[in-house]
Amino acid sequence: CKHRSHISKYIFVVSWYMIFNLTELLLFHRQEIMKWNGWGYNDSKFIYNKNGQAEFTGKRYRLSGMIIPGLRDWMESTFGATVQHKTPATPVLNTSAVQPPTLNEAFVEGIKSTGIPFSHDPEDRVFRSHGHCLHEIFPLREGKVGRVPDMVVWPKCHNDVVKTVELACKHNVCLIPFGGGTSVSSALECPPEETRSIVSLDTSQMNRVLWIDEKNLTAHVEAGIIGQDLERLLNESGYCTGHEPDSMEFSSLGGWVATRASGMKKNIYGNIEDLVVHIKMVTPRGVIEKSCQGPRMSTGPDVHHFILGSEGTLGVVTEVTMKIRPVPEYQKYGSVVFPNFEQGVACLREVARQRCAPASIRLMDNEQFQFGHALKPQVSSIFTSFLDGLKKFYITKFKGFDPSRLCVATLLFEGDREKVLQHEKQVYDIAAKFGGLAAGEDNGQRGYMLTFVIAYLRDLGMDYFVIGESFETSVPWDRVLDICRNVKARIVQECKDRGVQFQPLSTCRVTQTYDAGACVYFYFAFNYRGLSDPLHVYAQVEHAAREEILANGGSLSHHHGVGKLRKEWMRETVSDVGLGMLKSVKDYVDPNNIFGNRNLL
Amino acid sequence: MASRAVYVHRDPMLKKRDDFEDILEERRHSSDLRYALKCYTPVLYKGLSPCRASELKSMVLQSDQLQYVINQVSKEMGRTAEEVQAEASTILDEMAHRLQISTVRFFAFTLSKIFKTLFRSICVNEEGIQRLQQAIHEHPVILLPSHRSYMDFLLMSYVLYTYDLSVPVIAAGMDFMGMKIVGEMLRMSGAFFIRRSFGGDKLYWAVFSEYVQIMVKSGFAPVEFFLEGTRSRTAKSLTPKLGLLNIVIDPFLKGEVFDISLVPVSISYERVLEEALYARELLGVPKPKESTSGLFKARKVLSEDYGSIHIYFGQPVSVRALAEGKVNRCQFNLTPRHIPRKPGEEIQSFVNDLAYRLVRSQEENMVLTPWVLLAFLLLQNQAVGNERGMSLDELTEQAAWVRDLSRQFGAFLHWPDQLPPSKVVSSSLSLHRGLVRISDGRVQLALGQEMPHSAMTSEEELLNRAVIILSCASYRNQALHLFIRPALLAVAIQAASSNKKQEVYNSFSFLWNMFSNEFILCPGAAVQDFEEACYLLVKSGALQISQQEILVSGRGHRTLAFLANILDPFLEGYQMVCRFLYEATEGLTEKQFVPAVRKFIIKHLLTGRLRYAEVLSSDLQKNALAALLRLGAVQKLKGGEEQGALKVNKVIVNSLEDTLGGKLPTQKALVARL
């Protein structure tokens, strides 16, 4: 099989999952392989080994088992976080800290009679009570547990969901759909004011690819499937969706639809709204779906857009028909170093103007470049380190780049070999006009790796008094530089004003390009030693940063969604009338607020 | 109403101010040449995108903002874009500075020589300099000095050079351009020139604002301009002009810079070089056109003693902090930011408040010399017709009393406490011997009746006296900001029909409203000002205020009388303007107003019916007219043959005159209508 031979070349992340069993993430008790109070797999984490060097454990990732010599110094110099000051997490969940469930007996009886698996085991419930916002993870590390769902159900197919929703309506219980649990908008938090029994509807058992239509290049998939499983299953047939959000190891198709997700390679494949052809969703009013699979329709406002971004407030997405593409023949990473961020942004803007963006193009600022540098694994040969030294000398001394100002763009090209090489040349030619120097495939690849390990790094930070998070926005081109500068400066100022004792890390990257603007991604972290209520300080700074984003013409969110974390700004974002429209849909579809996660509105 | 207002009192006595250091001291002991050639490495803005003065021009001409306006103008006027572009380029050439360090060094050398001859000391608060240095590093900085003399901007650059700070670029009036060599020299030391009026000229405005904004955004150098727009001839702060302030804060509002620091600077002169010139100008002798030869004729000033100068660099004001909650910056989200548009109401009122706040902070940090307090006493004494003047002892006693009062009001008074008061008084008098005469131990203003000149008409004689009085008043005016609110309250208490707080407030509010073109009274802050005045007078023991009533205490009468006296010349002046307008013939234009009202006042002064020659000040007359226009008592007709003609509402004008004269109570109806 021709395609099969390319699969191993296919994006490196995916290739590492291959060795693992597909069913791994389909476990009812995901906490058996995943952290209950941190990110990702139990076996994968950053630690300081007995030599005091940073190391990434496990076998799953390319970085696994490697020593990262620069990380400890970077942690110390960036945050002042030293190994002496440790804040380890509670290793095991103390189940007695979990409130006993408030069960709706009639509903439980109903579920029992349908045969749909369910549980009210504390560990199952806690695992589904949160996403990955700092204020959700931080208390868990201290063993503190708030309101959690009272029960978890695992419907196995669309019909199971229909039955579950009917029962929920009949017995007035609150349903919160749960996909991959990677939310960063407080969307999964149980509303504290909710007095009904809360049932977490875990979609993980709905994970089949139901059919692949090679004539129309579509696949019909159950919405509970996790990103990496979907890609792997399609790859077996020589296809892919090309939808690769940074969370794709753990996030689900239904979750993507519910949050309007965006993938790294959207320049080729599009964002989730461009990828879906058909959606089936179960609501308290019944099932909503379109009658055909026409590629575009003029039939009034697109009802898919009530579903896309509904964040679990209207119902459960059960099945989706998605576009698929043949797995690309060839893939190549690349990187370009610019003398400063301004030049880099100008280059990205030009690339977007000429509509020649590669599958992915990202521009990291100087801080993030240095961060990426600190994550370089130990090099085995003297020759490599000699080459590295030479490169550095060439860029800083010969080309006169200021190491404290230069920044790097990472690139990913995809397609048939010839076109990729042609495309690559076109992009490098544009970059050269903005003073950009090609800086090799390794740097590019490492840049993308950063995306997947950053969430693991946060856990390391939290072991040593460092808390942080990422947030994003989208903004017109002419505002990109201003928003990056102002938001970063605002973070630094707010930290200072609120008594943070150490210089915070405040960094950004332009992570997606569009015709009319870009998506900007910020990382923000600080050492909270000396603060009595770090979470509160953190929340205030994050709030201020969002205010700054809005004041600089940025959007409330590009792809993370609104959840409960950002809903205070919804009215000004979509106007009174806009909010009223959304409310009236909610009132019609779910008058009794069965889908009561209280996101968005 | 006043009693409901929430007003947080700041105790002015507690205001901490920095110490001064005399920068001339070192100049007197070391080589000026070495100083001019010193190693000069100022701290730069951290976000500086380095560029030379010459590169600024192409940045401006190529900017989206200017290109947009060029296209617009070319479409409207039916001219080619190239023509308009060329015109923009010409405007820019006329405007642009050519800052270069060699010229700055030249000035550093020359000014050292001149300053040492003219002044005893130039005192600067070093902590302010340190704050400024920090501010320059962090954000683009706008320097906002008070404007009392041509010296101001030379001084500013001189001080900044001395402290190794970036010399500023300075918005200067076009009138300097007339002085050929000097104009060019100023250009090379950082001055850029703007026309005095260019109201409707879209292109000029666009070039100008873009030029200034590019310098602000790039952090090229601190931008300096005068909020008051022009030199205050009276030494009172002028109502701030908002144009340039709007321009410089725009980059912040549009998110193009993170923040902007505004630094108010107060420059106080013990003796102003232009002292007599200003008085003559106010009396109608036109201002001589600036010319290089004129400057050389001014050489004779070099032989005189002008005392000390105090320069106080105030606390940098963060535009971001002040705009928080007042301006919604999202308003720029929906149109491209390079398309010019008029600032909305929210921004206008923000900028207006900001401007007043800055001028008040200039006022508060003005150093007052003992002579300023003496000027109050000498003028008041002269006005009561005391021909023989005051004895030195009496003057000293009163001066000490005013000193204590002013300190209670938070004055930044430079009174050498280590000397006996009589010494302080006599040394102050001797510096201003052109204005005072001391004979037989008695002091009075040198009004010139010593040697009556037969050839002089009585009108000339009057004007000569007025020169002295206005000169003296310009010193008194330096401290008016300190007393103005309590003085308004003092007059209000006299005028009010009862001692009910509400009545007094009505009366206060009437006066406050009437005089808000004359003094720096922040728009809309009548209630705060009333509360502040009450607070100060209660604190100084002059008043007792209960929930409903305001009572004057035993020792308060002296204070209130002193304060009320301060306003007397202004009350009389405004009444005269009202009377004049009441009697004026139809068709009087704004242009004719000042000469006509002057003639009218001279006539009345000569008959001896007026107490204050100060009412001859054209500044006062113009302010009064502006107030009447604002209040709707007078209207300016637009268009047709009557272009610029003033239409007077005689009923209102008449009743205003009576109210000001205390003949009518401040009727509620009138106040309400105003």
Side-chain angles (χ1 to χ4, degrees):
Chain A
C1 158
K2 182 169 176 266
H3 289 304
R4 193 65 68 89
S5 65
H6 297 299
I7 294 172
S8 59
K9 284 187 201 156
Y10 189 61
I11 173 162
F12 66 102
V13 192
V14 175
S15 64
W16 303 322
Y17 311 141
M18 298 288 291
I19 52 170
F20 287 92
N21 196 329
L22 175 70
T23 55
E24 206 181 43
L25 284 167
L26 310 184
L27 290 169
F28 282 34
H29 312 293
R30 270 185 259 188
Q31 60 272 23
E32 285 165 18
I33 59 153
M34 289 176 73
K35 298 193 190 82
W36 65 279
N37 59 358
W39 180 261
Y41 298 104
N42 275 330
D43 54 20
S44 300
K45 60 183 170 220
F46 285 96
I47 55 155
Y48 287 138
N49 63 21
K50 53 184 183 298
N51 300 327
Q53 282 180 309
E55 185 183 327
F56 193 56
T57 63
K59 291 191 179 124
R60 294 171 191 268
Y61 298 89
R62 190 191 241 193
L63 207 57
S64 298
M66 290 198 188
I67 306 280
I68 303 120
L71 185 56
R72 183 173 154 180
D73 278 352
W74 182 82
M75 286 281 287
E76 287 185 9
S77 63
T78 310
F79 299 109
T82 57
V83 285
Q84 290 86 359
H85 299 96
K86 235 192 139 190
T87 44
T90 316
V92 278
L93 173 65
N94 173 9
T95 48
S96 65
V98 183
Q99 288 250 317
T102 316
L103 293 175
N104 181 316
E105 292 304 334
F107 177 79
V108 177
E109 285 310 309
I111 288 290
K112 265 187 197 161
S113 68
T114 61
I116 297 170
F118 71 94
S119 158
H120 30 80
D121 170 68
E123 292 193 355
D124 288 335
R125 288 159 55 214
V126 168
F127 192 84
R128 286 156 187 84
S129 68
H130 65 87
H132 284 272
C133 290
L134 181 73
H135 68 265
E136 295 173 301
I137 296 297
F138 194 86
L140 287 178
R141 287 173 56 90
E142 296 183 330
K144 291 180 194 155
V145 181
R147 175 84 155 103
V148 303
D150 300 298
M151 177 175 167
V152 182
V153 296
W154 285 272
K156 290 191 292 290
C157 60
H158 171 78
N159 284 339
D160 281 358
V161 175
V162 173
K163 285 179 205 157
T164 309
V165 173
E166 274 170 4
L167 284 169
C169 293
K170 189 171 168 198
H171 303 295
N172 192 26
V173 304
C174 170
L175 285 180
I176 298 184
F178 181 88
T182 56
S183 143
V184 282
S185 58
S186 305
L188 289 168
E189 256 179 0
C190 297
E193 64 271 41
E194 182 60 67
T195 53
R196 296 173 293 183
S197 178
I198 299 179
V199 175
S200 176
L201 191 157
D202 186 317
T203 60
S204 61
Q205 305 310 305
M206 303 193 289
N207 52 39
R208 291 167 296 172
V209 174
L210 296 173
W211 46 255
I212 292 176
D213 177 348
E214 296 187 275
K215 293 202 183 67
N216 294 309
L217 286 178
T218 53
H220 192 64
V221 187
E222 287 185 310
I225 196 163
I226 301 298
Q228 55 167 310
D229 294 336
L230 174 61
E231 281 318 282
R232 186 165 42 236
L233 289 172
L234 291 174
N235 285 178
E236 284 171 8
S237 314
Y239 293 104
C240 66
T241 63
H243 184 68
E244 292 181 13
D246 293 354
S247 61
M248 70 171 294
E249 293 173 85
F250 308 108
S251 57
S252 70
L253 170 56
W256 300 339
V257 171
T259 53
R260 293 180 66 88
S262 170
M264 179 177 93
K265 298 193 292 193
K266 72 94 196 154
N267 292 335
I268 294 182
Y269 301 94
N271 287 318
I272 193 70
E273 68 273 20
D274 311 307
L275 284 165
V276 293
V277 175
H278 184 269
I279 306 173
K280 200 190 263 186
M281 178 166 79
V282 180
T283 77
R285 278 274 171 197
V287 175
I288 175 175
E289 63 178 323
K290 290 186 189 173
S291 67
C292 67
Q293 306 207 36
R296 181 184 186 274
M297 305 182 203
S298 173
T299 48
D302 189 342
V303 292
H304 280 173
H305 285 287
F306 290 129
I307 301 170
L308 286 155
S310 58
E311 303 193 358
T313 59
L314 300 178
V316 189
V317 178
T318 54
E319 290 171 17
V320 177
T321 308
M322 266 183 113
K323 297 180 196 168
I324 55 171
R325 301 292 303 166
V327 171
E329 178 192 318
Y330 187 66
Q331 200 178 39
K332 192 175 182 191
Y333 287 96
S335 64
V336 181
V337 179
F338 293 97
N340 55 49
F341 193 64
E342 289 77 5
Q343 296 278 72
V345 170
C347 174
L348 261 63
R349 206 279 162 265
E350 184 57 31
V351 166
R353 197 196 312 274
Q354 295 190 23
R355 290 198 171 164
C356 64
S360 167
I361 178 166
R362 287 175 171 178
L363 178 75
M364 300 191 269
D365 69 0
N366 183 264
E367 291 85 351
Q368 217 164 110
F369 163 73
Q370 301 200 10
F371 180 19
H373 219 68
L375 283 175
K376 224 172 179 173
Q378 199 161 33
V379 284
S380 39
S381 80
I382 302 173
F383 183 65
T384 330
S385 73
F386 172 73
L387 271 185
D388 281 349
L390 211 62
K391 267 188 249 164
K392 192 177 169 192
F393 177 82
Y394 176 72
I395 286 174
T396 59
K397 295 295 182 315
F398 191 71
K399 284 288 173 179
F401 284 18
D402 177 351
S404 67
R405 297 196 63 191
L406 62 82
C407 71
V408 62
T410 58
L411 310 166
L412 173 62
F413 297 91
E414 231 180 61
D416 53 69
R417 196 185 158 85
E418 217 170 286
K419 275 189 190 151
V420 163
L421 296 177
Q422 216 179 338
H423 193 177
E424 193 186 18
K425 183 175 181 312
Q426 187 187 8
V427 172
Y428 283 127
D429 285 349
I430 294 174
K433 285 190 197 133
F434 296 91
L437 296 173
E441 287 183 67
D442 270 7
N443 277 320
Q445 198 161 354
R446 206 170 40 250
Y448 289 97
M449 177 183 71
L450 184 71
T451 309
F452 287 90
V453 299
I454 183 106
Y456 285 106
L457 261 174
R458 184 173 77 172
D459 290 337
L460 176 73
M462 283 196 280
D463 285 341
Y464 295 94
F465 278 98
V466 174
I467 51 177
E469 199 152 36
S470 60
F471 51 90
E472 40 72 48
T473 186
S474 57
V475 64
W477 277 115
D478 72 311
R479 297 246 186 197
V480 170
L481 281 177
D482 291 331
I483 210 170
C484 290
R485 180 201 331 102
N486 292 350
V487 172
K488 289 199 289 182
R490 178 77 180 262
I491 288 170
V492 173
Q493 189 188 319
E494 294 283 337
C495 283
K496 198 169 148 203
D497 292 352
R498 296 176 198 286
V500 176
Q501 305 286 307
F502 300 84
Q503 184 76 8
L505 173 72
S506 173
T507 160
C508 71
R509 66 166 188 257
V510 180
T511 202
Q512 284 292 7
T513 63
Y514 290 88
D515 286 351
C519 167
V520 180
Y521 210 91
F522 295 92
Y523 289 128
F524 150 49
F526 62 84
N527 184 334
Y528 66 87
R529 209 139 49 82
L531 295 181
S532 59
D533 191 353
L535 276 193
H536 181 63
V537 171
Y538 177 84
Q540 285 179 314
V541 178
E542 192 192 4
H543 189 273
R546 182 58 62 180
E547 293 269 331
E548 192 62 32
I549 285 175
L550 298 176
N552 282 275
S555 64
L556 190 53
S557 172
H558 170 264
H559 60 273
H560 282 176
V562 174
K564 289 179 273 291
L565 190 61
R566 286 176 276 273
K567 70 179 193 175
E568 65 176 287
W569 290 290
M570 265 302 272
R571 186 176 294 277
E572 60 182 276
T573 299
V574 300
S575 81
D576 285 344
V577 178
L579 200 69
M581 282 176 164
L582 297 179
K583 277 210 167 106
S584 66
V585 170
K586 167 78 179 171
D587 289 346
Y588 171 75
V589 173
D590 184 16
N592 297 317
N593 198 27
I594 296 302
F595 287 90
N597 60 19
R598 304 195 191 218
N599 291 336
L600 207 58
L601 299 174
Chain B
M1 173 42 220
S3 54
R4 269 185 268 131
V6 186
Y7 181 69
V8 184
H9 295 296
R10 277 183 312 162
D11 193 331
M13 292 283 276
L14 294 176
K15 203 174 292 156
K16 167 111 182 55
R17 291 186 179 101
D18 309 334
D19 295 329
F20 286 100
E21 191 209 35
D22 175 16
I23 58 169
L24 281 190
E25 183 66 23
E26 203 194 324
R27 294 277 47 77
R28 293 188 207 280
H29 295 114
S30 66
S31 154
D32 287 336
L33 192 62
R34 198 172 305 144
Y35 158 78
L37 296 174
K38 71 173 179 175
C39 172
Y40 170 69
T41 48
V43 167
L44 302 171
Y45 170 47
K46 65 178 177 195
L48 177 76
S49 23
C51 71
R52 273 168 290 140
S54 51
E55 289 168 64
L56 287 172
K57 188 180 160 186
S58 61
M59 284 166 77
V60 173
L61 290 175
Q62 280 154 26
S63 69
D64 295 342
Q65 280 82 342
L66 190 58
Q67 284 301 320
Y68 181 88
V69 174
I70 285 174
N71 284 328
Q72 213 182 15
V73 170
S74 108
K75 268 183 209 141
E76 279 168 16
M77 318 280 272
R79 297 160 57 192
T80 66
E82 288 72 32
E83 279 169 23
V84 185
Q85 171 99 15
E87 190 188 331
S89 178
T90 315
I91 293 174
L92 197 54
D93 283 334
E94 176 193 86
M95 183 183 304
H97 67 77
R98 284 199 299 278
L99 181 58
Q100 55 181 54
I101 188 64
S102 53
T103 320
V104 174
R105 291 185 191 280
F106 169 79
F107 268 107
F109 179 77
T110 334
L111 289 176
S112 291
K113 300 284 179 213
I114 298 175
F115 287 162
K116 279 188 281 187
T117 343
L118 287 177
F119 305 110
R120 291 183 197 169
S121 60
I122 298 175
C123 301
V124 180
N125 64 325
E126 282 211 329
E127 282 164 69
I129 291 286
Q130 279 157 19
R131 288 191 297 256
L132 176 62
Q133 183 170 10
Q134 180 74 23
I136 287 176
H137 179 65
E138 294 291 327
H139 304 295
V141 163
I142 312 297
L143 290 167
L144 301 164
S146 58
H147 203 10
R148 302 285 175 270
S149 166
Y150 276 144
M151 274 297 159
D152 292 327
F153 67 84
L154 294 175
L155 259 175
M156 284 291 291
S157 300
Y158 184 80
V159 169
L160 294 183
Y161 174 81
T162 304
Y163 283 104
D164 224 15
L165 294 177
S166 320
V167 289
V169 291
I170 309 140
M174 204 66 129
D175 25 10
F176 277 108
M177 290 260 295
M179 309 155 84
K180 278 173 215 120
I181 302 163
V182 174
E184 287 311 298
M185 291 287 288
L186 293 176
R187 222 189 252 287
M188 289 190 283
S189 62
F192 60 95
F193 296 100
I194 40 180
R195 296 180 192 158
R196 281 269 171 228
S197 59
F198 46 89
D201 192 340
K202 220 189 256 180
L203 186 65
Y204 192 90
W205 177 260
V207 173
F208 168 53
S209 62
E210 190 54 23
Y211 182 60
V212 175
Q213 283 176 1
I214 279 187
M215 289 191 289
V216 172
K217 283 188 279 192
S218 66
F220 178 83
V223 173
E224 174 181 317
F225 67 92
F226 299 105
L227 266 177
E228 297 163 283
T230 180
R231 290 171 300 156
S232 166
R233 272 65 169 172
T234 60
K236 265 188 306 156
S237 294
L238 304 177
T239 307
K241 306 280 179 291
L242 306 181
L244 250 167
L245 191 59
N246 258 313
I247 288 175
V248 297
I249 68 163
D250 194 58
F252 164 73
L253 296 177
K254 288 184 174 161
E256 294 166 324
V257 292
F258 181 68
D259 198 356
I260 289 173
S261 297
L262 306 173
V263 181
V265 184
S266 314
I267 308 179
S268 19
Y269 295 88
E270 197 166 7
R271 243 189 99 189
V272 183
L273 271 79
E274 294 100 324
E275 174 189 281
L277 231 73
Y278 286 159
R280 279 175 219 286
E281 205 180 303
L282 291 170
L283 291 167
V285 183
K287 167 179 159 191
K289 206 166 189 247
E290 278 82 7
S291 68
T292 308
S293 59
L295 196 79
F296 284 115
K297 273 180 215 145
R299 260 181 327 174
K300 77 166 174 18
V301 301
L302 287 180
S303 57
E304 291 209 33
D305 177 3
Y306 287 90
S308 299
I309 299 174
H310 285 89
I311 305 177
Y312 194 94
F313 287 83
Q315 200 72 42
V317 173
S318 153
V319 178
R320 172 174 279 269
L322 286 185
E324 183 67 43
K326 295 207 186 101
V327 181
N328 179 3
R329 286 181 284 149
C330 292
Q331 60 187 285
F332 298 103
N333 286 358
L334 296 179
T335 36
R337 288 172 295 171
H338 67 267
I339 298 178
R341 54 172 194 169
K342 282 223 161 69
E345 224 166 84
E346 187 187 64
I347 292 178
Q348 277 180 21
S349 99
F350 169 68
V351 174
N352 198 41
D353 286 352
L354 181 61
Y356 272 89
R357 189 194 165 106
L358 289 161
V359 173
R360 274 201 75 179
S361 108
Q362 283 175 357
E363 287 184 334
E364 279 168 10
N365 292 326
M366 283 280 191
V367 172
L368 305 176
T369 56
W371 163 248
V372 169
L373 302 184
L374 297 180
F376 276 89
L377 299 168
L378 292 168
L379 281 168
Q380 290 192 2
N381 189 259
Q382 190 273 330
V384 295
N386 190 339
E387 292 284 317
R388 296 187 51 239
M390 306 162 88
S391 76
L392 263 175
D393 291 347
E394 205 184 340
L395 183 64
T396 306
E397 185 275 328
Q398 289 193 20
W401 181 82
V402 180
R403 176 197 63 195
D404 296 345
L405 183 68
S406 67
R407 279 188 175 152
Q408 279 179 318
F409 288 178
F412 194 4
L413 189 62
H414 190 71
W415 183 294
D417 282 307
Q418 71 280 12
L419 297 178
S422 57
K423 262 264 166 60
V424 177
V425 168
S426 55
S427 107
S428 294
L429 293 175
S430 74
L431 186 68
H432 296 276
R433 59 177 92 82
L435 297 177
V436 286
R437 190 169 50 239
I438 308 172
S439 54
D440 310 332
R442 298 189 77 83
V443 192
Q444 57 182 312
L445 291 179
L447 293 183
Q449 65 270 58
E450 261 183 358
M451 38 173 210
H453 211 291
S454 52
M456 261 204 269
T457 64
S458 53
E459 187 178 326
E460 280 167 334
E461 201 184 324
L462 174 69
L463 287 175
N464 273 347
R465 289 161 59 95
V467 168
I468 300 293
I469 287 173
L470 285 183
S471 299
C472 193
S474 76
Y475 290 100
R476 174 207 63 195
N477 287 348
Q478 287 182 19
L480 267 185
H481 64 92
L482 201 59
F483 296 111
I484 183 61
R485 288 162 190 81
L488 287 169
L489 181 57
V491 177
I493 290 171
Q494 285 178 357
S497 47
S498 77
N499 54 11
K500 285 218 179 73
K501 202 170 174 183
Q502 178 70 51
E503 296 275 351
V504 175
Y505 176 74
N506 286 347
S507 198
F508 177 90
S509 158
F510 166 79
L511 293 164
W512 186 93
N513 207 357
M514 197 73 220
F515 285 123
S516 59
N517 292 70
E518 191 71 45
F519 310 109
I520 299 298
L521 300 169
C522 304
V527 174
Q528 270 112 304
D529 284 344
F530 179 71
E531 297 280 317
E532 188 180 327
C534 290
Y535 170 74
L536 289 174
L537 285 175
V538 168
K539 195 173 73 97
S540 63
L543 292 183
Q544 285 158 350
I545 299 181
S546 66
Q547 205 62 7
Q548 301 291 333
E549 294 193 322
I550 295 183
L551 295 170
V552 182
S553 69
R555 62 200 179 100
H557 290 287
R558 182 178 183 183
T559 312
L560 289 190
F562 169 76
L563 290 171
N565 258 327
I566 295 173
L567 270 188
D568 262 356
F570 298 96
L571 284 164
E572 191 173 271
Y574 276 51
Q575 283 177 67
M576 284 314 290
V577 170
C578 288
R579 172 103 326 247
F580 164 75
L581 286 169
Y582 183 73
E583 292 173 13
T585 49
E586 291 270 317
L588 175 78
T589 67
E590 203 183 359
K591 260 191 184 152
Q592 297 159 346
F593 167 76
V594 169
V597 76
R598 178 182 295 132
K599 219 166 132 192
F600 179 81
I601 289 174
I602 288 176
K603 195 176 76 193
H604 279 78
L605 273 169
L606 289 174
T607 60
R609 262 180 288 168
L610 297 177
R611 271 162 78 181
Y612 296 99
E614 233 186 299
V615 300
L616 273 170
S617 160
S618 60
D619 180 68
L620 181 147
Q621 295 151 6
K622 284 178 195 160
N623 289 338
L625 179 64
L628 294 172
L629 282 164
R630 175 172 47 86
L631 298 174
V634 180
Q635 272 183 303
K636 216 186 298 184
L637 296 178
K638 282 183 183 144
E641 285 171 28
E642 294 178 313
Q643 178 75 25
L646 299 173
K647 186 168 177 290
V648 181
N649 182 329
K650 303 226 162 170
V651 181
I652 301 186
V653 162
N654 193 32
S655 98
L656 282 175
E657 186 203 347
D658 287 349
T659 315
L660 285 166
K663 285 182 213 154
L664 276 178
T666 47
Q667 301 144 310
K668 273 198 179 148
L670 182 63
V671 174
R673 191 161 36 168
L674 294 178

